[in-house]
Amino acid sequence: MKVVSLHHEEKKLIEQAMTNNRHAQHQLYSRFAPKMLGVCRQYIKDLQQAEDVMITGFMKVFTNLSSFEHKGSFEGWIRRIMINECISFIRVKKDVKFMDDESFAEDSHNSIESQLSLDDLQFLIDNLPEGYKMVFNLYVIEGYKHQEIAKMLGITEGTSKSQLSRAREVLQTQIQKLKNYSYGTE
């Protein structure tokens, strides 16, 4: 019964926010901003820039609330807006290059070492080239398929697969270096 009332409360907040009710907009922002900052931070290394992109994303959320059809999760709808904002920001601010290499190694889906902290993993992902990082985040973190990623980024499906494969290779190399360092073999 509680789930129904929470959904009803969210729907009511959305409807109020559509009428430019600042209190309702603030409540929605307060509820979703921490998660959405995390989403933006996955794509944008600098925290202040990630926060700026998130705020711009929320401006689009509030401007386009009437296009939310209540067919899926509201959080998922906001998340998609944030991801698109991040991609737009990276395209404008940085020279993202995708290698048009249709060849790629099939992924072995090795699990990332459990002994690495989330901060270590985020650091490694942050230091990937922008093209690798975007494809890696969209595929591994967000769960998009290569066809969807290709369409979002304006690249071929093969390029998406290649970028993911190369990102994983770089991450595996960096993880191995960290392991060697921690074991004193490097």
Side-chain angles (χ1 to χ4, degrees):
M1 197 59 109
K2 203 167 200 143
V3 173
V4 172
S5 65
L6 287 176
H7 178 69
H8 179 69
E9 179 186 324
E10 184 177 274
K11 188 173 182 178
K12 186 177 174 184
L13 267 177
I14 294 167
E15 289 169 357
Q16 290 172 347
M18 282 194 300
T19 65
N20 289 326
N21 178 318
R22 298 294 179 221
H23 180 69
Q25 289 175 340
H26 178 73
Q27 283 185 294
L28 287 173
Y29 179 85
S30 295
R31 183 179 293 175
F32 293 105
K35 283 184 183 177
M36 295 308 124
L37 181 58
V39 169
C40 293
R41 180 57 192 80
Q42 288 173 343
Y43 293 87
I44 301 167
K45 187 176 185 175
D46 182 83
L47 182 59
Q48 280 78 27
Q49 289 178 338
E51 196 170 339
D52 288 347
V53 170
M54 179 197 68
I55 290 168
T56 302
F58 269 105
M59 295 291 287
K60 287 193 176 178
V61 165
F62 294 131
T63 303
N64 296 299
L65 270 177
S66 61
S67 68
F68 178 64
E69 299 175 350
H70 299 279
K71 289 184 179 174
S73 110
F74 185 61
E75 182 179 329
W77 183 76
I78 294 174
R79 184 181 196 93
R80 180 136 188 147
I81 291 171
M82 295 298 162
I83 292 168
N84 288 333
E85 274 308 297
C86 290
I87 291 170
S88 295
F89 172 82
I90 291 168
R91 280 186 176 149
V92 169
K93 294 290 181 189
K94 303 192 183 220
D95 188 24
V96 181
K97 293 185 172 115
F98 295 101
M99 296 172 48
D100 274 336
D101 183 4
E102 296 291 328
S103 65
F104 64 95
E106 191 59 44
D107 301 315
S108 61
H109 296 291
N110 292 337
S111 64
I112 295 179
E113 299 296 321
S114 60
Q115 61 195 5
L116 291 176
S117 72
L118 287 177
D119 289 339
D120 290 338
L121 290 173
Q122 187 63 55
F123 176 79
L124 294 175
I125 293 169
D126 282 344
N127 288 302
L128 287 171
E130 289 299 329
Y132 292 5
K133 184 167 125 179
M134 275 199 292
V135 171
F136 181 85
N137 280 328
L138 289 168
Y139 186 85
V140 174
I141 308 294
E142 303 299 336
Y144 287 102
K145 300 200 179 327
H146 287 294
Q147 184 179 18
E148 296 169 307
I149 295 169
K151 187 175 179 183
M152 288 172 79
L153 300 178
I155 59 177
T156 66
E157 197 172 329
T159 299
S160 176
K161 291 176 181 179
S162 169
Q163 296 290 296
L164 176 63
S165 178
R166 290 187 189 337
R168 285 186 167 158
E169 287 172 13
V170 170
L171 288 173
Q172 287 173 350
T173 300
Q174 294 304 318
I175 289 169
Q176 189 59 49
K177 284 182 181 179
L178 281 175
K179 283 174 49 180
N180 291 345
Y181 179 76
S182 68
Y183 294 137
T185 59
E186 191 168 288

